[in-house]
Structures are given as structure tokens and as C-alpha cells.
Amino acid sequence: MKKINNSRREFLKKAAIGSAGLSIGFSAKSYARIMMANDRVNVGIVGFSNRARLTLIPSLMKHAQRMNFDIIGVSDLWNMRRELGAKYLNEQTDHDVRTYRNNDELYADKDIDAVIISTPDFAHALHTIEAAEAGKDAYVEKPFAETMEDNRRALSAVKKSGIVVQIGSQRRSGK
């Protein structure tokens, strides 16, 4: 007896293939986007800083297609930075990105899988805790925290949530 695979991925693949013949103007690019959408990691930027613009986002974009990442949103409390971030990211990604007035809005978006935390140094651990509580994987700039208490709280939140966290060392690994 043949085993039936009822996974979401298999269903979407078969549905996409079946509907491809019915679609007029269904391009290879859009087909690839649908086929890979289930595996794509959608990223939100927490804080549109100069480091995000000059280092973090360009680094991610170099590998985005190969690694199937896409930046879909930016959160910043400051309207000017949020608007600059959206304009910059729209150009980099070739699509409109979502904007969020605060991190709560970004973390509430079920489409966001991971975040790049690019905020002032004193806020990195706090934002990592927020990411963990929201179940979002995180890339965090250094320094990670200013106190051992912040380190311990963030470590506890990360362990409890099971998210993946990477802490960067841009000046050590950059040019």
C-alpha cells in the first residue's frame, strides 16, 4: 500500500503545479517564489541604524537568494528612521516592505520568522528577550548586554523559547 504524504509542503507543491497550467502569465520567477515560500525565512529589521544600512542588510542581501531569506519589514520608533528604512529596503528587496511603529507590532506579525536587532547597545538584550517571547530567531549586534543580569534574563528567555540567536562581531569579521 502506497504511503500518502499529506504534508503542507506536498499539498502546496502539487497545488502550485496543478494550477500552473491554468495560469496565464505564470512566470518561472513567480513559480520559484511560490515553491520556496514554505522554506523562506522572512526577516524583520528591529531599528534602522547606520550599521543596519551599511553592514548588516548588505551582508544579508548578498546571501538572501541562495539561503532563501527575504526582508519583509522594518520597525523603528522614530518616523524618520522608519521611513528611511522602508525606502532603502524597498530598493534592496525589489518589493514593498512593511513598516511597524514599534517592536510589538513587528513581533505580532505571524509572517516574520526572524529579526535583525540593530538598536542602541543598551537595548540589545531587552530586544532579544522580546524576540524570544515572540518566538522569532534573532541576529543581535554586539555588545550583547551591559550587565550580567541582562545577560542572564536574555539567556533564560532564549532557552525557554528555543529560538536561534547569533551575536555578531562585525568589527572582528568585517574588512
Side-chain angles (χ1 to χ4, degrees):
M1 184 176 208
K2 185 177 176 183
K3 183 179 177 184
I4 298 172
N5 185 343
N6 289 324
S7 73
R8 177 176 168 225
R9 184 173 290 137
E10 280 299 310
F11 171 78
L12 290 172
K13 185 190 306 185
K14 289 175 183 173
I17 290 169
S19 63
L22 302 175
S23 298
I24 297 173
F26 193 70
S27 71
K29 185 177 181 181
S30 62
Y31 175 72
R33 192 166 173 90
I34 290 170
M35 293 306 293
M36 296 178 71
N38 203 38
D39 297 321
R40 183 175 300 113
V41 177
N42 290 320
V43 178
I45 306 297
V46 176
F48 186 71
S49 67
N50 284 334
R51 181 165 321 275
R53 182 176 55 85
L54 298 172
T55 303
L56 301 174
I57 294 167
S59 295
L60 178 67
M61 294 307 294
K62 284 181 187 175
H63 305 284
Q65 186 173 5
R66 180 175 58 83
M67 300 297 293
N68 203 17
F69 280 78
D70 190 16
I71 299 173
I72 66 167
V74 60
S75 168
D76 202 298
L77 292 172
W78 190 11
N79 285 346
M80 185 185 85
R81 281 293 197 179
R82 186 171 57 246
E83 291 166 11
L84 285 171
K87 182 179 181 210
Y88 174 80
L89 289 166
N90 289 345
E91 293 168 0
Q92 297 300 308
T93 62
D94 291 329
H95 63 76
D96 289 339
V97 299
R98 302 168 191 175
T99 58
Y100 309 92
R101 294 172 299 161
N102 56 55
N103 297 342
D104 291 339
E105 288 181 2
L106 180 139
Y107 289 129
D109 188 336
K110 300 292 184 208
D111 292 335
I112 299 284
D113 302 308
V115 293
I116 294 175
I117 298 173
S118 181
T119 56
D121 294 351
F122 70 86
H124 292 164
L126 170 65
H127 290 151
T128 301
I129 293 167
E130 290 176 350
E133 290 173 348
K136 312 296 185 186
D137 295 329
Y139 175 88
V140 189
E141 291 182 305
K142 59 155 185 55
F144 181 71
E146 293 188 333
T147 68
M148 285 307 295
E149 180 57 30
D150 287 349
N151 275 316
R152 288 183 188 104
R153 287 181 48 233
L155 177 61
S156 176
V158 168
K159 283 183 173 181
K160 182 178 178 183
S161 70
I163 66 166
V164 175
V165 175
Q166 179 179 344
I167 301 167
S169 58
Q170 297 80 17
R171 290 191 180 142
R172 300 284 183 223
S173 59
K175 292 180 184 176

